[in-house]
Amino acid sequence: MTALDTYLNLRAFADELVRCGVREVCTSPGSRSTPLVLSLVRDARLRATSHLDERSGAFFGLGLAKASGRPVALACTSGTAAANYAPAVIEAYEARVPLLVLTADRPPELRELGAGQTIDQIKLYGSAAKWFFQVDDHPATPERVRWLRQLACRACWTALEGRPGPVHLNFSLREPLVLGEPLPADEPGGGGRAGGRPWVTRPGRTPALDPAVLDDLAGELERRPRAVVVAGRAERDPRLGAALASFAERAGVPLLGEPTSGARRGPAAIAHYDALLRDPAFGAARRPELVLRIGDLPTSKPLRQWLHGLDEETLQVAFDPENAWQDPAGAAATLLPADPRRVVEALAERLPRKPRAPGWLEEWTGPDRAAAGAIADVLGARPELSEPRIAAELGVRLPPEATLVVASSMPIRDVETFFPARPAPPRVLANRGANGIDGTISTAFGVAAAAPGPVVLLIGDVALLHDVGGLLAARRLGLPLAIVLLDNDGGGIFHFLPVAGEGAAFEEHVATPHGTDFAHAAALYGLAHERVAAPEPFRAALDRALAADRATLIHVRTDREENVALHRAVWEAVRAAV
Ligand SMILES: Cc1ncc(C[n+]2csc(CCOP(=O)(O)OP(=O)(O)O)c2C)c(N)n1
Ligand SMILES: [Mg+2]
């Protein structure tokens, strides 16, 4: 086994990834990974970004994969380096994002013998990897090179098909790790297939539409015209939101779409369902006959409780093309393994000209308008910038070509509660597979590297500190990103929970105030820093950040107690108005 063998094998592997549609690789530094990293970054068709910290690098790759819809390759060295990929691998599994996790390892004879930086990397990510394979080294015979091409295809297609997710290949790499001579142009066996085709193609990865299923669903819709559409996070198909909106409008049924569904748009959209459904009487008076569920279950607890509380008279049908089984209450009677966009487009064509349940949609749109008015009154009466106000401002001001990345905790909830419905909303992405607050900065920079327009991140202070090292991407990769930091000096979300009554122990160990001066973080990592306290300066700072060619931290100070009081005032005003 020579370095030439290693590099011939890995060059074919990298070439095959490109043929399968991979365009991005995120590397992290190390020695054992040298042949793997050099083979990937020397393929000029792959864009390579470098990340000091594997945890950030993996979340960056996750953001790239989410925004682009393509599998992204990660490559790192052995030991705890590989273990630092774990949070992003878990999120990718839960959120069903295709990743190719390529880790370097020592050959078997050096394992469990005290060799440096060597840990057990076999199945390191457990059940979070869709597929694990141990790639041992072998001379670059024609058979071996062909097998590596087949392996690369299998890794890519496995990451993409069915329930998408991460695959993990662990490469044994033997010294010498550097090739002292030029790599010959010829490949043993003659190279890949003609015309740049992958060695193995695997068509038909999306489930086909079964006409019988469509007939059944059309029949149910006819029998049960008082239907609602509930749409949660569905990031893989950017055209789904518009299709849902036109279907709901044609059918005359309310569309309860979380902004991450892309479906908070059109005249049937009910933007303020979270506030409305906080009043149990509102939901009780509007029991639907049919619920069509699309994407993940939305975050809103009142919506979840309402869905879970509907009795068996209501038929709940959940589209589940990715085998996600998003139904913790066991309320869905049918899980459809079909592409929801193709189904609603086909269903819309069969609908009568006039909605079958006249007045049903208006039972929702009237209160939604009243809720919007009540919210605007409460927020408008306060001159200062609040967390809800920021979410509402972003919902109105972000251009359609922008992408908003939303952190877990209150940001995702405020965007769900306060984003208005719009004809063409910006794309909204969030790490909601495991609801972690980790890796959010890096994910947003990954999105910024792939999104066609400007990218904004809405994030809390604890989440920012958790991934503060992710800010390095601003300087090292020169990526523009507008970070809107809601700094309430701790975890504001916990003030909504009973634990908030637990005094000093709550404050120190749950809320975790830290007193960080974020201007220093901006200075350390080379971001512009703007501190704003009122709506007009916020809008101006946002416009500047959207136009800038560097990353900006827009810093808003808020107060956790006041934030709870404001949310309660909003909910009360909505209840009174409806
Ligand atoms: C990795 C991880 N650790 C802990 C948690 C639990 N958690 C949920 S929200 C939160 C606080 C977030 O605070 P911040 O980002 O400031 O947002 P805020 O609650 O103030 O809106 C924590 C620690 C989590 N979701 N993920
Ligand atoms: Mg906070």
Side-chain angles (χ1 to χ4, degrees):
M1 188 70 199
T2 63
L4 182 61
D5 287 306
T6 303
Y7 279 82
L8 285 171
N9 282 334
L10 289 173
R11 183 179 64 185
F13 178 81
D15 176 59
E16 202 58 42
L17 293 183
V18 174
R19 288 164 180 257
C20 292
V22 178
R23 294 289 176 271
E24 307 272 355
V25 54
C26 305
T27 72
S28 291
S31 167
R32 187 59 48 172
S33 51
T34 300
L36 183 62
V37 166
L38 293 186
S39 301
L40 291 163
V41 307
R42 284 182 180 157
D43 191 316
R45 298 162 300 174
L46 288 169
R47 178 167 62 155
T49 49
S50 147
H51 308 268
L52 274 60
D53 172 337
E54 291 79 11
R55 188 170 68 152
S56 291
F59 274 109
F60 185 95
L62 180 84
L64 268 176
K66 267 176 183 268
S68 69
R70 291 172 182 269
V72 169
L74 314 175
C76 75
T77 195
S78 60
T80 52
N84 273 287
Y85 277 166
V89 171
I90 291 168
E91 173 62 21
Y93 180 79
E94 297 294 340
R96 308 179 301 282
V97 180
L99 286 182
L100 306 172
V101 185
L102 313 176
T103 55
D105 201 348
R106 303 220 169 213
E109 69 270 17
L110 290 176
R111 298 187 195 155
E112 298 192 33
L113 289 168
Q117 213 171 314
T118 306
I119 66 166
D120 182 2
Q121 293 179 200
I122 304 297
K123 300 204 170 178
L124 183 60
Y125 310 110
S127 54
K130 274 186 81 179
W131 185 51
F132 169 83
F133 200 84
Q134 170 60 40
V135 189
D136 289 326
D137 59 353
H138 192 282
T141 59
E143 295 73 27
R144 178 67 180 191
V145 173
R146 169 187 287 213
W147 175 78
L148 277 160
R149 289 188 174 277
Q150 185 198 41
L151 178 75
C153 294
R154 185 165 183 185
C156 289
W157 303 147
T158 302
L160 281 168
E161 73 190 355
R163 179 187 167 116
V167 302
H168 175 202
L169 304 185
N170 189 49
F171 288 81
S172 273
L173 295 165
R174 212 174 244 111
E175 291 181 15
L177 298 167
V178 173
L179 181 64
E181 57 195 288
L183 191 57
D186 288 343
E187 178 176 311
R193 292 207 194 271
R197 274 184 298 130
W199 196 261
V200 183
T201 48
R202 203 170 153 96
R205 292 192 308 272
T206 8
L209 185 59
D210 179 349
V213 167
L214 197 60
D215 290 344
D216 283 357
L217 207 52
E220 291 295 358
L221 201 56
E222 211 178 305
R223 279 189 293 282
R224 303 164 177 270
R226 288 165 65 95
V228 301
V229 179
V230 173
R233 194 186 66 87
E235 294 165 338
R236 299 236 303 145
D237 181 1
R239 286 151 66 202
L240 174 62
L244 291 174
S246 35
F247 167 76
E249 185 185 356
R250 272 292 303 275
V253 303
L255 170 55
L256 281 50
E258 191 175 1
T260 51
S261 69
R264 189 167 287 184
R265 61 168 97 203
I270 307 301
H272 302 298
Y273 58 79
D274 178 86
L276 291 168
L277 290 168
R278 278 175 196 270
D279 177 3
F282 178 87
R286 288 166 187 77
R287 194 183 62 72
E289 296 162 325
L290 176 66
V291 180
L292 295 179
R293 285 161 52 167
I294 284 109
D296 288 4
L297 214 48
T299 303
S300 163
K301 200 165 178 186
L303 175 59
R304 286 180 175 227
Q305 283 172 338
W306 181 65
L307 289 176
H308 296 171
L310 295 172
D311 59 26
E312 285 194 34
E313 300 279 287
T314 302
L315 174 65
Q316 299 203 35
V317 175
F319 287 83
D320 192 20
E322 296 182 344
N323 255 330
W325 285 72
Q326 289 268 324
D327 192 24
T334 307
L335 290 185
L336 278 183
D339 176 347
R341 178 163 58 81
R342 284 155 69 199
V343 172
V344 297
E345 281 169 356
L347 275 181
E349 285 180 12
R350 303 189 178 196
L351 288 168
R353 257 173 211 290
K354 286 232 165 71
R356 284 204 182 87
W360 167 240
L361 177 57
E362 291 67 29
E363 286 183 42
W364 291 82
T365 49
D368 194 46
R369 270 192 300 277
I375 292 170
D377 287 349
V378 175
L379 300 187
R382 289 166 165 77
E384 76 282 1
L385 263 183
S386 60
E387 297 182 27
R389 179 71 181 262
I390 298 268
E393 291 276 344
L394 290 173
V396 173
R397 292 190 71 81
L398 289 183
E401 67 277 13
T403 304
L404 177 66
V405 180
V406 189
S408 286
S409 203
M410 288 311 287
I412 188 76
R413 289 174 172 78
D414 282 344
V415 164
E416 187 175 23
T417 303
F418 298 105
F419 242 52
R422 270 173 54 172
R427 191 173 186 201
V428 181
L429 301 174
N431 281 342
R432 296 298 288 167
N435 297 2
I437 56 161
D438 47 346
T440 316
I441 299 278
S442 302
T443 304
F445 273 112
V447 171
V455 179
V456 176
L457 167 64
L458 182 65
I459 188 169
D461 48 292
V462 177
L464 188 142
L465 284 177
H466 209 293
D467 189 26
V468 70
L471 292 174
L472 252 186
R475 198 197 300 283
R476 290 197 71 235
L477 303 177
L479 288 168
L481 174 69
I483 302 177
V484 178
L485 167 63
L486 302 173
D487 176 11
N488 54 23
D489 195 22
I493 194 170
F494 299 119
H495 286 260
F496 291 85
L497 304 180
V499 68
E502 297 297 321
F506 162 75
E507 186 65 7
E508 184 179 352
H509 294 280
V510 182
T512 61
H514 45 80
T516 304
D517 180 351
F518 287 96
H520 294 310
L524 180 62
Y525 293 106
L527 284 83
H529 180 252
E530 299 220 33
R531 186 108 180 237
V532 292
E536 200 39 59
F538 170 70
R539 289 180 206 130
L542 183 66
D543 288 347
R544 276 193 294 278
L546 288 175
D549 56 7
R550 62 187 286 215
T552 306
L553 186 65
I554 302 176
H555 186 176
V556 186
R557 276 303 317 251
T558 60
D559 180 274
R560 286 180 263 130
E561 304 278 2
E562 283 170 18
N563 187 45
V564 178
L566 179 57
H567 280 81
R568 295 202 170 124
V570 165
W571 296 331
E572 194 37 54
V574 169
R575 183 199 286 264
V578 170

